[in-house]
C-alpha cells in the first residue's frame, strides 16, 4: 500500500512535521513533542504505516508505555484507527511488563525458579515501616514510609553504587541502613519488587548475550512513549534491547519532565545522538490545544530553562482570553474564590496544585456547602504527617493532661528543656490521678528555671481548651516553643498553613480535632465523579489531560516554586509549564499577599515570568535626613494583647524572662539573670526594649 492509499483509506490527517515522523521508520529517531501536539496520534499512525505501507510484521514491533493504563489507551486508539486485525499481534507493554517476560524466559532456559514478585504495596510499606522503627525512627508516619519507598526506587532506577547509596541522605531517616536491610529482607524471602525486576533484567542482558540476542531478534522495532519520564536503568535496558540495528523511535519532551523524584532522567533525551550515532531529531511544535495567548507565553516561559533542546511552540488557534493573575489579600481567600467558581461551573475546569495537601481546605469547604466536585487523587498522608500528628497530640493533651504516653511523644518539641530520661523517671514514678505538670512540679528534682518553664507551660495548657482552634494552634507555634522546633528541624510549614486554614473553619479545639478525623474519612472514601466538570488535581496527575479552564493555586515563591538550586528550579519551572499548558481557553494564577492577616513577604516569580513582566526597578531617591521611627499607638495596643501570663519575653537589658503577672500596662517578669522586675509594657514597646521570645 502506498502512502497516498494509506491516507485515503484510514483517518489520517497530519501536518508536515507529524507526517515526517510517521514515515521515519528506520534507525534511531527522537521525536520532541510540545504539549497538545498530537504525539499519541502520530505514534499510533506510525504503527499503522509500518504495518500497511512498510510490510513489517506486527509481532516484530514493541511499543513501550509509561503505565498500564497507557498501554490499554494506546491499543484502543490503534483499534479506532485501523481496526482489530493486527491489534492483538502488536506488543504494548510497560517496561516492567517487558522485564517480566525477560525474567520468565531466563528462568525457563536456565532451569531456575525466579524470585516471586512483591507487588503488594501494603506489604512493602509494612516492611519499610518496621525497618524504620528498628533503625531509629520512632513512630514512623505514612509520609516517612512513602519517602523511604520513593528513595529506594530512586536509588535502583538511577543505578546508584553501594558507595553512593551510603552517601544518600533522607531527612529524619537512617536511609542507607533502611535500604540495605530492605534488600536483605527481599533476598531472604526470595522476592523482588518492581525496581528489582529492572535491575535483574539489566543484569541478564549484560551477562547472557544469547538471551539478549533472542529478544533483539524478536522485536527489531521499538517505540517508546513518554520518554522524558523514563529512568536511567530503563533507558539502559532499551539501549541494550535496541542493539546495533538501532530501530528505536522515542517520543517525549524534556520540557515536560516532572518526575525527577521518581528518577525520571530527561538527560537521555539530550544525549540521544551520543547514545545512538546517526540519530534523527524530529519535532512536533504545533499546539492544537491552547489559545495563542497561552501558547506564546508558555513558550517564552520555558525558554528560561538551560537544560533543554530548542523548540518553538506555536498554534493556529485564536488569541483567546488574557491570562489572569488573581491577587487575593489573604491566603485563605483563594478557597472562597474557588467555591464561587465551583458553584457556577458548567465547562471543564481544573484546580491544579503542587501536592494533595493544598486541596484539603477546598474539599472541606465544598463538602460543607454541598457543591459537587471530582478529585483525581486522594491520600491521607497529611493527617499522619509528623507536623499534623504533633499538633493534634498537643491539642488532645489539653483535654487529658494526665496522659503520660501522649506527653512523652511531644514534650521535647516544646520549650521545656527537660531530658527524656529525667521526665520518664519522674512521670512513671508518680501517681496516676494527677496532671503531668503537677507530677513534675511536685517531684522536687527540677531546677528553679525548669520549674518556671513547667509553670508557664501549665498556664498555656490551662487556656488552650477555651481558645478558638486557630488561636490554640497559633499559641502552640508562637509562644509554646513549637515554632522554634519547626525552624530547627526545617519543618514543613506549608502543612501548618493548611492546618490553620482548616482551623479557621472550625470554632473550638474539640470540634477541630473531631473535624480532622471526619475529614480524613471523607477523603479516603471519596467516590469518583467522572462527569463532574469541576476537577481537583495535582499538576503531576493532570499530565496528558486538558481542560477548558485551568486555575493554578498557591502560585507563590516557596510553594511554586519551592526550590532555589538551579537544577531543581528548572524542574519546578517544568512543573509550572505542564500545569499551565493543560488549559485550552482560560488560564488563571491565584496569588496572595498575606497569610491569615499577616504580611508574608510573598513574591510570585513564576507568575511574573509567565506574564512577561520584568522586575520593577526602584526609582532613585535622594538621601533624606533620618527621621526618628517608632511604633504607632495602634501597633502598641495590638502588641499588648499578646503579653499574657505564661509568655516568655526578652528584654534588651534584663535578658530572657517569664511574664508571671499582668496589671493593665504593667507586667511582672521573672528574669533568669536579674530576678523579678516590674516593667511598663507601653514604654518598653514604644522604645523597642522588649519583644516576645517565641514570636515567629
Amino acid at each position: 500500500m502506498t502512502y497516498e492509499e494509506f491516507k485515503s483509506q484510514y483517518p489520517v490527517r497530519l501536518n508536515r512535521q507529524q507526517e515526517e515522523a510517521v514515515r521515519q521508520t528506520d534507525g534511531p529517531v527522537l521525536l520532541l513533542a510540545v504539549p497538545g501536539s498530537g504525539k499519541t496520534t502520530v505514534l499510533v499512525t506510525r504503527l499503522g504505516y509500518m504495518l500497511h505501507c512498510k510490510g513489517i510484521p506486527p509481532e516484530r514491533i514493541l511499543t513501550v508505555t509509561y503505565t498500564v493504563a497507557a498501554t490499554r489507551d494506546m491499543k484502543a486508539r490503534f483499534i479506532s484507527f485501523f481496526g482489530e486485525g493486527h491489534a492483538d499481534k502488536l506488543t504494548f507493554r510497560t517496561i516492567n511488563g517487558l522485564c517480566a517476560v525477560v525474567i520468565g524466559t531466563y528462568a525457563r532456559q536456565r532451569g531456575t525458579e525466579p524470585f516471586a514478585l512483591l507487588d503488594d504495596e501494603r506489604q512493602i510499606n509494612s516492611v519499610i515501616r518496621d525497618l524504620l522503627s528498628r533503625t531509629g525512627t520512632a513512630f514512623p508516619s505514612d509520609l516517612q514510609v512513602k519517602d523511604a519507598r520513593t528513595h529506594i526506587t530512586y536509588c535502583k532506577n538511577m543505578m546508584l553504587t553501594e558507595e553512593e547509596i551510603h552517601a544518600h541522605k533522607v531527612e529524619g531517616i537512617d536511609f542507607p541502613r533502611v535500604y540495605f536491610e530492605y534488600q536483605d529482607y527481599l533476598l531472604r524471602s526470595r522476592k523482588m519488587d518492581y525496581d528489582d525486576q529492572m535491575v535483574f533484567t539489566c543484569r541478564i542482558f549484560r551477562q547472557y548475550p544469547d538471551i539478549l540476542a533472542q529478544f533483539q531478534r524478536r522485536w527489531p522495532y521499538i517505540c517508546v512513549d513518554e520518554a522524558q519520564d523514563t529512568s536511567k536503568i530503563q533507558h539502559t535496558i532499551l539501549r541494550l534491547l535496541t542493539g546495533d540495528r538501532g530501530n528505536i523511535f522515542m517520543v517525549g519532551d524534556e520540557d515536560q519532565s516532572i518526575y525527577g523524584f521518581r528518577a525520571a532522567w530527561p538527560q537521555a533525551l539530550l544525549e540521544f545522538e551520543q547514545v545512538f550515532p546517526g540519530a534523527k531529531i524530529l519535532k512536533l511544535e504545533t499546539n492544537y490545544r491552547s489559545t495563542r495567548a497561552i501558547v506564546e507565553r508558555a513558550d517564552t516561559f520555558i525558554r528560561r530553562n538551560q537544560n533543554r533542546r530548542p523548540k518553538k511552540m506555536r498554534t493556529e488557534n485564536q488569541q483567546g482570553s488574557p491570562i489572569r493573575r488573581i491577587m487575593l489579600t489573604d491566603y485563605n481567600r483563594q478557597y472562597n474564590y474557588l467555591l464561587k467558581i465551583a458553584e457556577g461551573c458548567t465547562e471543564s475546569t481544573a484546580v491544579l496544585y503542587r501536592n494533595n495537601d493544598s486541596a484539603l481546605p477546598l474539599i472541606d469547604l465544598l463538602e460543607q456547602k454541598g457543591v459537587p466536585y471530582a478529585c483525581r487523587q486522594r491520600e491521607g498522608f497529611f493527617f499522619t504527617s509528623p507536623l499534623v500528628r504533633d499538633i493534634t497530640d498537643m491539642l488532645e493533651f489539653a483535654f487529658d493532661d494526665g496522659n503520660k504516653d501522649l506527653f512523652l511523644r511531644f514534650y521535647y518539641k516544646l520549650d521545656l528543656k527537660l531530658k527524656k530520661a529525667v521526665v520518664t523517671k519522674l512521670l512513671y514514678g508518680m501517681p496516676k490521678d494527677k496532671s503531668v505538670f503537677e507530677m513534675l512540679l511536685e517531684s522536687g528534682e527540677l531546677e528553679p528555671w525548669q520549674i518556671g518553664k513547667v509553670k508557664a507551660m501549665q498556664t498555656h495548657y490551662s487556656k488552650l481548651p477555651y481558645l478558638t482552634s486557630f488561636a490554640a494552634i497559633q499559641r502552640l507555634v508562637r509562644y509554646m516553643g513549637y515554632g522554634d522546633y519547626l525552624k530547627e528541624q526545617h519543618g514543613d510549614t506549608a502543612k501548618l498553613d493548611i492546618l490553620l486554614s482548616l482551623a479557621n473553619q472550625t470554632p473550638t479545639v474539640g470540634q477541630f480535632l473531631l473535624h480532622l478525623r471526619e475529614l480524613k474519612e471523607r477523603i479516603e472514601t471519596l467516590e469518583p465523579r467522572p462527569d463532574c466538570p469541576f476537577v481537583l488535581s495535582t499538576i503531576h496527575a493532570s499530565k496528558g489531560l486538558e481542560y477548558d479552564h485551568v486555575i493554578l493555586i498557591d502560585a507563590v515563591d516557596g510553594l511554586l516554586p519551592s526550590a532555589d538550586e538551579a537544577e531543581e528550579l528548572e524542574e519546578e519551572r517544568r512543573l509550572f509549564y505542564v500545569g499551565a499548558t493543560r488549559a485550552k481557553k482560560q488560564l488563571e494564577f491565584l496569588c496572595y499577599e498575606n497569610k491569615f492577616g499577616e504580611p508574608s513577604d510573598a513574591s510570585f516569580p513564576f507568575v511574573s515570568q509567565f506574564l512577561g513582566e520584568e522586575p520593577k526597578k526602584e526609582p532613585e531617591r535622594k538621601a533624606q535626613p533620618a527621621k526618628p521611627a517608632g511604633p504607632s499607638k495602634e501597633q502598641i495596643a495590638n502588641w499588648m494583647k499578646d503579653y499574657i501570663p505564661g509568655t516568655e519575653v526578652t528584654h534588651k537589658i534584663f535578658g530572657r524572662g517569664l511574664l508571671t503577672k499582668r496589671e493593665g500596662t504593667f507586667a511582672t517578669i521573672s528574669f533568669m539573670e536579674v530576678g523579678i522586675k516590674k516593667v511598663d509594657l507601653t514604654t518598653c514597646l514604644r522604645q523597642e526594649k522588649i519583644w516576645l521570645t517565641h514570636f515567629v
Side-chain angles (χ1 to χ4, degrees), residues 82-93:
F82 305 106
E84 297 185 0
H86 295 291
D88 289 335
K89 296 180 181 180
L90 287 166
T91 303
F92 298 94
R93 293 191 183 277

Side-chain angles (χ1 to χ4, degrees), residues 608-624:
S608 296
Q609 291 172 17
F610 199 96
L611 296 175
E613 299 171 348
E614 294 297 325
K616 294 181 179 178
K617 294 182 179 180
E618 292 291 330
E620 293 184 6
R621 296 182 175 90
K622 294 182 179 180
Q624 298 289 333

Side-chain angles (χ1 to χ4, degrees), residues 414-417 449-457 459-460 475 478-481 484 642-651 655-661 668-672 681 690-696:
L414 299 180
D415 187 32
L416 283 167
K417 305 293 191 295
W449 65 271
Q450 291 175 315
I451 292 173
K453 287 188 176 293
V454 172
K455 285 183 176 180
M457 197 62 61
T459 301
H460 282 303
R475 181 177 283 235
R478 292 181 169 181
Y479 309 130
M480 296 171 65
D484 288 341
D642 292 324
Y643 286 80
I644 58 176
T647 302
E648 189 169 309
V649 302
T650 299
H651 193 279
R656 295 181 69 169
L658 184 70
L659 197 157
T660 58
K661 188 178 180 181
T668 302
I669 302 174
S670 177
F671 291 101
M672 295 176 65
L681 288 175
I690 198 168
W691 56 90
L692 297 171
T693 301
H694 292 303
F695 193 90
V696 295

Side-chain angles (χ1 to χ4, degrees), residues 103-128:
I103 293 170
T105 301
Y106 166 82
R108 287 192 301 273
Q109 293 185 2
R110 294 297 186 273
T112 63
E113 185 68 29
F115 282 12
L117 179 63
L118 181 58
D119 58 357
D120 186 338
E121 284 297 317
R122 289 176 299 179
Q123 186 178 349
I124 293 173
N125 290 339
S126 177
V127 171
I128 292 175

Side-chain angles (χ1 to χ4, degrees), residues 211-227:
I211 295 178
L212 174 60
Q214 181 181 335
F215 282 97
Q216 288 174 339
R217 289 191 299 270
R218 181 174 177 178
W219 294 310
Y221 293 91
I222 301 170
C223 308
V224 183
D225 192 22
E226 302 289 3

Side-chain angles (χ1 to χ4, degrees), residues 622-635:
K622 294 182 179 180
Q624 298 289 333
K627 295 180 180 179
S632 66
K633 291 182 180 180
E634 291 77 12
Q635 285 177 306

Side-chain angles (χ1 to χ4, degrees), residues 134-153:
R134 291 197 285 111
T135 54
T137 305
F139 310 108
S141 68
D142 293 345
L143 189 59
Q144 287 173 312
V145 173
K146 180 186 177 185
D147 282 348
R149 176 84 171 98
T150 299
H151 282 271
I152 289 170
T153 290

